[in-house]
Amino acid sequence: MIAQSTVAFLAQSLTYTAILHMTLVAVIAVRVIMKRPATGVALAWLFLVFAVPFGGAAIYLLIGERRTGGRRAAELGHLRADMHRLSERLVRDGRAAVDWSRHDPKAAGIHRLGQSIAGASAIAGSELTLHSKPNEILHAIAADIDAAETSVLMEFYIWNQGGDADLVLEALKRAVARGVTCRVLVDALGGRPWWKGRQPTEMTAAGIEVLPALPVGPWRAIFGRTDLRLHRKIVVIDGKVGWTGSMNLVDPRFFKQDAGVGEWIDAMVRVEGRAVTLLAAVVVGDWAMEVAASIDDLIRDSKLDLAAPKGDTDIQVIASGPGETDDGLLLMLLALINAARKELVLTTPYFVPDEALLRALRGAAGRGVKVVLVLPEKIDSFLSRHASRTYFDELFGMGVEIRFYRDGLLHTKSITVDGEIAMFGTVNLDMRSLWLNFEVSLFVYGSEFTERLRHLQHQYIADSDPLDADAWAARPFRERFIDNTFRLVSPLL
């Protein structure tokens, strides 16, 4: 009798569990359908939710949607409008208006797209200096901070203690001691080891305002995703000098030395002129998101004003991320790739493209463009490494040249088109950067800077080895099967 009741209880429990599971599957299926993600992404989520009872649903609710939270979503809309007004104000000034007759017509088309999706106009009157030696970059940033008179604004994905990175911290202490407003924003997750160390406390004690960007925790996970990260790297001094690029605030000799990938190889640009105003606006906007302060008050407190023109480089600053541009940055990259007629060179540490980006690269090679993709031989992400390798056969099939950089983890994110247009910034060619991270990218129109960046790219090419298509196709079945398995989850990376 007892055994029968136990069996009946278990059968009833399993029935209720199955009903609850299928109810969850149905509810989430409706959400996925109404959100209208890419078909591959939608099917991957539906499979996961169905195949992993309750666990799949929990994962979807945590990271399946690009939820930024109600307040943050509203403020992101305001920030986008503010960026549009600021760039238009610069253009109306006259000296910042771009003379598009200086450029190929395709440049003006890319610019119009950026205006439409990000509200950001290209502006004239800037000067870019490209730097590719990390320790020189850290020394130069410290020197610029030592020359600061009113404000230093900084934001980074990672800050790491040790080596010449500490020179920047000491420069900040000296600056705040002489009355300079210093604000530092570091991603809560990317900078987690640093946040657990002593330097944040030292900075606060010295009078430096330091905040974690996008804090994580169970409560925040209810109202927004915890894996939406601030991936930008920006420094602005007095609203007159700016820095941005791929390098975190780290000395490569002291950063992730146990990862087995060698030193990280990065590049940054030092910016003077009009574009600094737009970089400052990005940092101030990100700071305002964390403290719920008025942007106008922060600008006034930091004594920021429109930067005076310097140089003749035309730049479009694209700040992208969930709630800011949605798929805007992807559209900009597609337009850039499709504009290539002779040569397209791309460097990125992480290559997990969506179907549109993959097809654009194949299409460029197919119409006769020399397409060179430079990747690091070793990367620190296990999932990305295996997922990335599954795209090579398709690229080889259209004649794309793939090269593996051998002297460290090549971390520079750059694209040059025909020696005339360049993209330089923080965005990787993977779905995380394109859909989940807050990034900043410079679209630079003109041959002067593009040729300098192209020269750096060719230095990377000289220090890399070409991947042989036939040898790659002959890899053992086990390797190909493992890689292809990870590609199934690439839409979720």
Side-chain angles (χ1 to χ4, degrees):
M1 191 71 178
I2 296 177
Q4 288 180 341
S5 61
T6 301
V7 170
F9 174 76
L10 290 175
Q12 188 178 46
S13 298
L14 289 173
T15 300
Y16 288 148
T17 300
I19 292 172
L20 180 59
H21 170 57
M22 294 310 298
T23 300
L24 278 174
V25 170
V27 169
I28 291 179
V30 171
R31 288 188 66 91
V32 171
I33 291 169
M34 295 308 296
K35 291 292 182 181
R36 296 187 300 176
T39 301
V41 175
L43 292 176
W45 277 120
L46 292 176
F47 174 78
L48 180 67
V49 171
F50 178 79
V52 183
F54 305 109
I59 294 171
Y60 177 81
L61 293 174
L62 284 173
I63 65 172
E65 300 172 6
R66 294 189 296 166
R67 291 176 288 118
T68 56
R71 180 188 69 83
R72 186 175 292 272
E75 291 184 0
L76 283 169
H78 296 318
L79 286 178
R80 185 179 184 277
D82 289 340
M83 284 293 288
H84 175 67
R85 285 194 296 268
L86 180 58
S87 61
E88 289 303 306
R89 180 183 170 192
L90 287 168
V91 171
R92 286 196 304 271
D93 179 64
R95 292 175 294 175
V98 174
D99 178 7
W100 290 105
S101 67
R102 300 172 54 209
H103 305 295
D104 189 287
K106 61 193 177 188
I110 296 171
H111 163 247
R112 284 194 295 271
L113 177 62
Q115 279 184 311
S116 301
I117 57 156
S121 296
I123 55 174
S126 298
E127 182 175 273
L128 298 181
T129 306
L130 182 63
H131 295 265
S132 59
K133 296 182 180 179
N135 298 102
E136 290 183 6
I137 292 170
L138 293 169
H139 279 262
I141 291 175
D144 281 337
I145 294 173
D146 277 329
E149 297 177 350
T150 57
S151 64
V152 178
L153 308 175
M154 306 177 70
E155 63 178 6
F156 284 91
Y157 178 59
I158 297 173
W159 193 305
N160 188 72
Q161 181 176 329
D164 288 343
D166 293 348
L167 298 177
V168 176
L169 175 56
E170 295 305 315
L172 284 169
K173 290 180 180 178
R174 291 190 293 270
V176 78
R178 61 178 184 271
V180 176
T181 298
C182 295
R183 292 192 171 106
V184 176
L185 195 62
V186 179
D187 187 78
L189 194 58
R192 176 171 284 181
W194 181 76
W195 281 111
K196 294 180 178 179
R198 59 178 175 80
Q199 287 191 338
T201 303
E202 286 182 14
M203 295 168 76
T204 301
I208 302 165
E209 298 177 61
V210 56
L211 282 178
L214 298 165
V216 298
W219 180 253
R220 290 180 180 270
I222 296 173
F223 299 101
R225 287 184 62 160
T226 58
D227 63 337
L228 305 182
R229 305 316 321 157
L230 182 75
H231 198 239
R232 295 167 181 154
K233 295 94 176 167
I234 303 176
V235 180
V236 176
I237 296 98
D238 293 344
K240 299 176 181 177
V241 175
W243 289 83
T244 192
S246 65
M247 183 173 160
N248 289 292
L249 208 292
V250 304
D251 185 330
R253 300 170 301 173
F254 293 80
F255 180 63
K256 289 193 174 183
Q257 289 300 294
D258 57 349
V261 297
E263 292 186 7
W264 290 41
I265 308 299
D266 281 291
M268 297 282 278
V269 288
R270 186 176 187 270
V271 186
E272 294 181 89
R274 291 298 202 191
V276 177
T277 299
L278 297 179
L279 289 174
V282 174
V283 182
V284 170
D286 289 336
W287 184 273
M289 293 293 295
E290 300 305 330
V291 299
S294 161
I295 292 178
D296 291 336
D297 289 344
L298 290 171
I299 290 174
R300 186 167 48 253
D301 187 43
S302 301
K303 299 181 177 64
L304 295 174
D305 201 353
L306 297 182
K310 181 175 182 179
D312 61 356
T313 303
D314 301 328
I315 303 174
Q316 192 170 19
V317 178
I318 301 294
S320 60
E324 286 187 323
T325 57
D326 294 322
D327 65 347
L329 181 57
L330 174 59
L331 292 177
M332 290 285 286
L333 294 179
L334 294 175
L336 192 63
I337 293 168
N338 290 330
R341 294 296 176 265
K342 296 175 292 185
E343 180 190 68
L344 177 66
V345 183
L346 312 94
T347 70
T348 182
Y350 310 110
F351 182 73
V352 187
D354 78 339
E355 289 300 319
L357 191 59
L358 181 66
R359 286 173 177 158
L361 291 173
R362 295 175 65 237
R367 63 177 183 266
V369 177
K370 180 181 180 181
V371 181
V372 183
L373 176 63
V374 189
L375 307 171
E377 185 177 36
K378 300 176 181 178
I379 62 173
D380 60 333
S381 171
F382 178 81
L383 293 177
S384 293
R385 178 168 65 248
H386 284 285
S388 175
R389 292 151 60 106
T390 66
Y391 299 94
F392 294 170
D393 287 325
E394 294 166 79
L395 295 174
F396 279 139
M398 296 300 287
V400 174
E401 180 181 344
I402 301 174
R403 302 188 68 97
F404 277 165
Y405 184 82
R406 58 179 176 269
D407 293 337
L409 195 159
L410 178 60
H411 196 242
T412 302
K413 304 96 165 36
S414 67
I415 301 174
T416 59
V417 174
D418 297 341
E420 297 175 353
I421 308 174
M423 190 288 297
F424 182 84
T426 67
V427 62
N428 299 308
L429 297 181
D430 68 358
M431 283 179 271
R432 166 158 292 281
S433 270
L434 293 172
W435 295 100
L436 301 178
N437 289 343
F438 292 93
E439 309 278 4
V440 63
S441 306
L442 303 183
F443 284 75
V444 186
Y445 304 100
S447 60
E448 183 179 351
F449 174 77
T450 303
E451 284 294 346
R452 276 184 274 143
L453 180 58
R454 182 174 175 271
H455 178 71
L456 176 61
Q457 289 178 324
H458 280 265
Q459 288 181 350
Y460 295 149
I461 290 172
D463 293 329
S464 65
D465 298 313
L467 190 61
D468 183 76
D470 293 333
W472 188 256
R475 289 180 304 140
F477 172 81
R478 178 177 175 275
E479 287 187 25
R480 289 184 283 118
F481 181 79
I482 292 174
D483 293 342
N484 289 334
T485 300
F486 279 100
R487 178 163 175 163
L488 293 176
V489 297
S490 63
L492 311 182
L493 293 179

